[in-house]
Amino acid sequence: MASSYPVDPRQPDTAYLSFWRERHLCTLTTLRPDGSPHVVPVGVTYDPEAGLARVIANKSSAKVGHVLAAGPGGVRVAACQVDGRRWATLEGLATVSVDPGRIAEAERRYAERYGRTPSPNPSRVVIEIELTSALGRG
């Protein structure tokens, strides 16, 4: 990633994908009912083969509430990470899944990226972002 550029989220170049495999804290931006942005720190995993980014979360969190409020069709969100001058953004339509298999896959990917298995949480859900675009700067 030498300069700012759009990225095909399903076919990222090696540098972009490598950056998303490094351990970085990310942010997730959702919109409140009044349209103002709600930005929170999260762990994000990127799965270009499936065209998804995933965020594990507690079902009672504000971010989950914002996504659920949009209805079953989902809502546009952005997940970002930054490291000095390098940054990357994944955008798409977010939905919430309570499916145990989907949650387990998100937990597995989280453990792989962040080097630790998430603590058990019976209230866990996964926010799945169906990717529509990506940007980055290296």
Side-chain angles (χ1 to χ4, degrees):
M1 294 188 307
S3 62
S4 179
Y5 63 94
V7 175
D8 179 342
R10 290 183 170 268
Q11 296 182 344
D13 63 39
T14 303
Y16 194 81
L17 185 56
S18 293
F19 186 42
W20 275 103
R21 289 191 171 146
E22 294 172 10
R23 187 182 192 280
H24 294 288
L25 186 62
C26 303
T27 60
L28 178 69
T29 303
T30 58
L31 296 178
R32 296 181 181 100
D34 68 2
S36 63
H38 177 254
V39 184
V40 293
V42 294
V44 175
T45 61
Y46 176 32
D47 180 358
E49 293 82 17
L52 293 174
R54 296 176 179 91
V55 176
I56 55 175
N58 192 301
K59 67 181 175 185
S60 64
S61 68
K63 60 187 165 284
V64 168
H66 298 154
V67 174
L68 289 173
V75 65
R76 292 193 58 76
V77 301
C80 304
Q81 66 180 16
V82 80
D83 180 38
R85 295 179 55 103
R86 296 186 306 156
W87 60 268
T89 301
L90 298 169
E91 298 177 351
L93 286 174
T95 56
V96 174
S97 178
V98 297
D99 177 86
R102 295 175 92 90
I103 294 168
E105 178 64 8
E107 291 170 332
R108 182 190 72 75
R109 288 176 178 276
Y110 180 95
E112 184 178 276
R113 181 173 191 201
Y114 291 99
R116 69 172 195 81
T117 301
S119 301
N121 179 352
S123 296
R124 180 166 291 132
V125 297
V126 58
I127 297 172
E128 293 181 323
I129 306 165
E130 185 179 335
L131 300 172
T132 57
S133 61
L135 295 168
R137 179 185 173 114

